[in-house]
Amino acid sequence: MNKKLFYKRLTAMILGGLLTVSAGSVSAANTVQLNLNDAVQMALENNRSIKTALANVDVAKWNLSKYRRQTGVTLSLSTGANRANDMLAKASHGGDNSYFTNSASASIPLYNFSLRSGIESAGYALNAADVTLENTKQSIRYQATADYYNILNYKNLIKVQEDAVRAYQEHLDNVNAQYRVGTVAKSDVLSSQVNLANAQQALTTAQNNYDIAIATLNNVIGLPTDTALEIDEELKHPAYNLNLNDCTNYALNNRADGAAAYYAVKQAEAGINTAKAGWYPTVTASANKAIEGKNAFHADHSNTWVFGATATWNIFDNGVTTANVNNAEASLVKAQEALKTQDETIQLDVRTALLNLQAAEKNISTTETAVTQAEEDLKIAHVRYSAGVGTNLDVMDATEKMTLARTNYNTALYKYNVSKAALDKAMGIPVDIDVAKYKASQMEGNRLKKVRDDAKVTANPVLELTPEAKKASKEEIKAMRQAEREVRNTADANKQAATEKKAVTEKKTAVVSEPTKKTEQPASTAAVASEMAK
């Protein structure tokens, strides 16, 4: 297929598919009207995995900032109050035994190989965090899409089972009518009742699976799991005529997890340079001003300026740097193999998804024909049974085949749509950034803002934690600490109340026991007198 035609067709599919977003509408307190685009957008806004990935981007961003800040000027101030008790110190300070020292220093690294390598590695880590965020968004989009289609699948299966229950019930009514006039045996009634009960059980199972599918989608898109969803869409059969080679090539260039593996290799390369830093010197320029005086911040004793540069070179480290370099080189090999493995996984994912899509497409036409034939066969079986030339088993068998044919047809539709979504995920269809453009802009040496602007496919992509999210995090921590304080205060109050109660109880016990001892004394005296009388 011509490459321009491939991208043109793919773009048309994207614009007409999942990336078209509209807002859902709430029709009741706990009921939400929802379509596929709504579900995907809500998942992208509310899913916890995406928020975690956004936080990881911020972590990488500020880690890079930490390294870059170390290349600039640093300033430090110090002050001290001193008291001398020896004659030499007193003499050097004009006979005063108390004096103040103050100093200010500034420094800037002139050459630091380790710091430069750290900046390079942190930059690649931020790139990896960006594409990992995009990969997380693509995964959540696929998950929301698959869960949405699962709801439609069980919705259709409920209808199939309802039709089956209705068919078995109508047949049972017919059998009962014929049994009452003596034209059929009791066994026909019993077998019809058994089949009806089995169909009712299958309907109950389908309804339960539908409820679970609703709860599962609610969990993904950030709604309470007991929210009722009103979904009016039906499973469709949209055309998808891309071939394997075009899909695979696109995926190898655009898969976000493939780009993350690439940046892991670049980080490992930078890690080798970081390890080699032990072989190079570090050079730092500095300036220092120190003053001493009898009073704070006065220079009546001394006032000194010092300018200079310091070079540090570890001449011999007993092979530590060599060991670090060998370790980093092994890590690079590991990262390279992981990248190759990821590329092979991408190719397998694309082939698997496309084959599943093609198989489901073939099954749709096959099962659609089977449904028509099964419905016609059921009609014939009913007519023959009513005429007395067919058996009850023929009707049961025809009803079961019709139910199976309809189930297979809906399952094929479901698998086709899910396989299409899986192929989109396997190819790396973008959500917010085009990974291929991101890598190209980054390789050109552009700064991060320019790289993101070159790669964005939506007007305002969310690529970092928003101020609102950071504020909400702080408020959540504040509320958590307040709750912990309240628990501790309650526990302390309970302990205090228990201590006071125990003290009151002990006091009452002491008051009650004293009269008892006084009343017992005469009895003891009488006993002694009686013993003496004997």
Side-chain angles (χ1 to χ4, degrees):
M1 179 184 294
N2 183 274
K3 183 171 291 188
K4 291 184 177 180
L5 179 60
F6 169 75
Y7 283 103
K8 182 177 180 181
R9 182 177 298 174
L10 182 60
T11 302
M13 289 179 180
I14 297 171
L15 295 178
L18 295 179
L19 299 182
T20 302
V21 176
S22 61
S25 58
V26 179
S27 61
N30 60 343
T31 301
V32 176
Q33 293 180 345
L34 200 67
N35 59 34
L36 177 57
N37 295 323
D38 298 334
V40 170
Q41 182 61 20
M42 292 175 70
L44 294 177
E45 292 175 354
N46 301 323
N47 191 269
R48 301 293 180 188
S49 296
I50 292 177
K51 293 180 180 180
T52 301
L54 285 168
N56 288 336
V57 172
D58 265 35
V59 170
K61 170 187 172 183
W62 292 111
N63 186 55
L64 174 60
S65 177
K66 177 188 70 175
Y67 277 102
R68 284 177 172 170
R69 296 292 180 181
Q70 294 179 54
T71 62
V73 177
T74 58
L75 300 174
S76 63
L77 299 174
S78 66
T79 185
N82 307 280
R83 186 177 182 84
N85 63 353
D86 61 278
M87 300 303 297
L88 182 61
K90 288 183 178 182
S92 64
H93 293 89
D96 296 324
N97 63 342
S98 297
Y99 61 94
F100 294 87
T101 58
N102 304 277
S103 65
S105 61
S107 63
I108 184 172
L110 299 180
Y111 182 82
N112 190 318
F113 194 79
S114 176
L115 184 57
R116 186 174 65 184
S117 301
I119 293 174
E120 184 183 16
S121 178
Y124 288 131
L126 180 54
N127 295 140
D130 273 351
V131 295
T132 299
L133 170 62
E134 173 64 20
N135 183 61
T136 303
K137 291 180 178 180
Q138 292 177 17
S139 298
I140 295 302
R141 180 184 62 187
Y142 166 73
Q143 186 177 352
T145 303
D147 290 342
Y148 183 88
Y149 287 144
N150 199 32
I151 292 174
L152 298 183
N153 179 43
Y154 283 117
K155 181 180 177 182
N156 289 338
L157 291 180
I158 288 174
K159 186 177 182 303
V160 169
Q161 295 302 327
E162 287 175 341
D163 290 342
V165 169
R166 190 179 303 109
Y168 282 120
Q169 184 63 61
E170 290 174 354
H171 178 64
L172 178 59
D173 294 341
N174 183 28
V175 173
N176 280 326
Q178 295 192 53
Y179 174 72
R180 285 192 293 268
V181 298
T183 58
V184 299
K186 180 67 174 178
S187 60
D188 284 2
V189 177
L190 295 175
S191 60
S192 299
Q193 290 174 337
V194 170
N195 281 279
L196 175 60
N198 290 337
Q200 290 171 335
Q201 182 179 356
L203 175 59
T204 300
T205 300
Q207 290 171 334
N208 182 65
N209 290 335
Y210 177 81
D211 292 338
I212 293 175
I214 291 286
T216 302
L217 180 61
N218 282 333
N219 184 60
V220 172
I221 65 179
L223 291 177
T225 53
D226 60 348
T227 303
L229 301 180
E230 291 185 1
I231 300 176
D232 296 328
E233 289 185 279
E234 298 289 340
L235 288 173
K236 299 177 181 178
H237 179 200
Y240 207 95
N241 298 321
L242 303 178
N243 64 47
L244 179 60
N245 288 335
D246 289 334
C247 291
T248 302
N249 291 333
Y250 184 91
L252 290 173
N253 290 325
N254 290 272
R255 274 277 288 263
D257 48 0
Y262 164 78
Y263 285 121
V265 172
K266 300 302 292 182
Q267 280 183 267
E269 286 186 74
I272 294 178
N273 290 332
T274 301
K276 289 180 179 179
W279 290 333
Y280 300 95
T282 59
V283 181
T284 304
S286 63
N288 181 275
K289 178 178 176 62
I291 61 176
E292 291 184 5
K294 181 177 181 180
N295 299 313
F297 306 106
H298 285 73
D300 48 4
H301 291 170
S302 66
N303 188 341
T304 307
W305 278 97
V306 177
F307 298 93
T310 302
T312 304
W313 197 344
N314 192 357
I315 301 300
F316 177 72
D317 62 1
N318 200 32
V320 172
T321 299
T322 301
N324 288 335
V325 171
N326 290 331
N327 180 284
E329 289 175 346
S331 297
L332 175 60
V333 173
K334 180 180 177 180
Q336 289 171 328
E337 291 303 316
L339 175 59
K340 294 174 184 177
T341 300
Q342 186 60 45
D343 286 343
E344 293 170 355
T345 300
I346 290 172
Q347 297 177 55
L348 177 60
D349 289 345
V350 172
R351 179 179 289 273
T352 301
L354 186 58
L355 290 176
N356 287 338
L357 181 68
Q358 293 171 347
E361 186 173 25
K362 293 176 182 177
N363 287 336
I364 289 173
S365 58
T366 302
T367 54
E368 191 172 17
T369 302
V371 168
T372 303
Q373 294 171 342
E375 290 175 346
E376 183 64 24
D377 186 42
L378 179 59
K379 291 178 183 178
I380 295 173
H382 275 300
V383 172
R384 287 174 56 82
Y385 185 77
S386 297
V389 296
T391 66
N392 184 57
L393 182 60
D394 293 336
V395 177
M396 296 295 99
D397 186 56
T399 305
E400 183 179 351
K401 288 180 178 178
M402 180 198 68
T403 302
L404 179 60
R406 288 178 177 176
T407 299
N408 289 341
Y409 173 70
N410 286 297
T411 301
L413 273 177
Y414 164 71
K415 288 185 177 180
Y416 179 85
N417 284 274
V418 171
S419 296
K420 180 181 178 299
L423 182 57
D424 289 343
K425 173 64 178 70
M427 292 171 60
I429 303 299
V431 174
D432 277 337
I433 62 172
D434 185 310
V435 171
K437 292 180 180 179
Y438 184 98
K439 288 176 62 178
S441 182
Q442 183 271 323
M443 289 179 182
E444 292 173 0
N446 295 321
R447 298 188 69 85
L448 183 65
K449 186 179 184 303
K450 179 68 165 59
V451 172
R452 289 175 171 177
D453 287 341
D454 290 343
K456 67 180 182 181
V457 296
T458 55
N460 297 301
V462 179
L463 302 178
E464 295 179 5
L465 286 175
T466 61
E468 294 78 10
K470 295 178 181 179
K471 182 180 178 181
S473 174
K474 292 178 181 179
E475 291 177 349
E476 183 178 343
I477 289 297
K478 184 178 179 181
M480 185 181 298
R481 289 175 178 170
Q482 179 62 30
E484 291 172 351
R485 283 195 294 269
E486 291 176 357
V487 171
R488 285 195 295 268
N489 291 339
T490 301
D492 291 341
N494 291 338
K495 290 179 181 178
Q496 181 65 25
T499 302
E500 294 175 355
K501 183 178 180 180
K502 181 179 179 181
V504 170
T505 303
E506 291 176 348
K507 184 176 181 181
K508 289 181 178 179
T509 302
V511 170
V512 171
S513 63
E514 287 183 4
T516 303
K517 293 179 180 178
K518 291 180 181 180
T519 57
E520 290 176 351
Q521 184 63 32
S524 300
T525 304
V528 172
S530 175
E531 186 66 27
M532 292 177 65
K534 291 180 181 180

